Amino acid sequence: MGNRYFRTDSRLGIPLPSLDRRWEEYEAGEQLFIIEQWELIRGRIPDLVKAFEDRIRDKQEMLQDEDDFSHSCILNSEIAELASRINDLHIWYRVNQEIELRRHS
């Protein structure tokens, strides 16, 4: 998705809001467009989380059979990075709730 309200985050695999003004400074039509686009993006987050969880499980299985300490450290680091991405996706998933609260206040 390429528009002026969102920029793709390659680490998370989704476009994220990239707003250059405070929310209240956007016209109602712009706010509605941003919310609609965010809902489409947000709907993909659970699938991305599952994909990252699957990758973590794969790496954990590899780790169980790994005898080389340095390679074990690399796998642990990769697992930690994937877990961090999951955490960030959960945070972004909740952003919609904050927008909805602002919209109704």
Side-chain angles (χ1 to χ4, degrees):
M1 164 179 299
N3 67 47
R4 65 186 183 125
Y5 303 111
F6 296 90
R7 297 285 179 261
T8 299
D9 183 295
S10 59
R11 181 175 168 268
L12 298 181
I14 59 171
L16 295 176
S18 178
L19 306 179
D20 58 1
R21 295 178 267 164
R22 291 190 339 241
W23 182 249
E24 302 79 29
E25 294 175 7
Y26 287 95
E27 294 178 16
E30 287 178 298
Q31 289 180 355
L32 183 59
F33 175 80
I34 293 166
I35 290 170
E36 288 172 348
Q37 293 301 304
W38 178 244
E39 277 301 303
L40 293 173
I41 296 165
R42 186 176 173 263
R44 295 176 19 211
I45 291 177
D47 291 334
L48 289 169
V49 167
K50 184 183 179 324
F52 286 141
E53 289 171 341
D54 291 344
R55 289 175 58 190
I56 286 174
R57 272 191 290 284
D58 292 344
K59 291 185 181 295
Q60 287 173 328
E61 287 177 16
M62 292 168 58
L63 187 59
Q64 288 177 349
D65 298 328
E66 185 57 58
D67 293 329
D68 182 279
F69 179 73
S70 62
H71 194 251
S72 294
C73 291
I74 292 169
L75 287 170
N76 272 319
S77 177
E78 291 171 352
I79 290 168
E81 172 57 25
L82 290 167
S84 174
R85 291 178 188 186
I86 289 171
N87 185 59
D88 290 350
L89 285 170
H90 283 297
I91 291 168
W92 279 108
Y93 190 78
R94 289 190 302 267
V95 164
N96 183 64
Q97 294 168 350
E98 295 170 18
I99 291 174
E100 284 299 312
L101 288 174
R102 287 182 189 168
R103 211 171 109 191
H104 294 296
S105 59

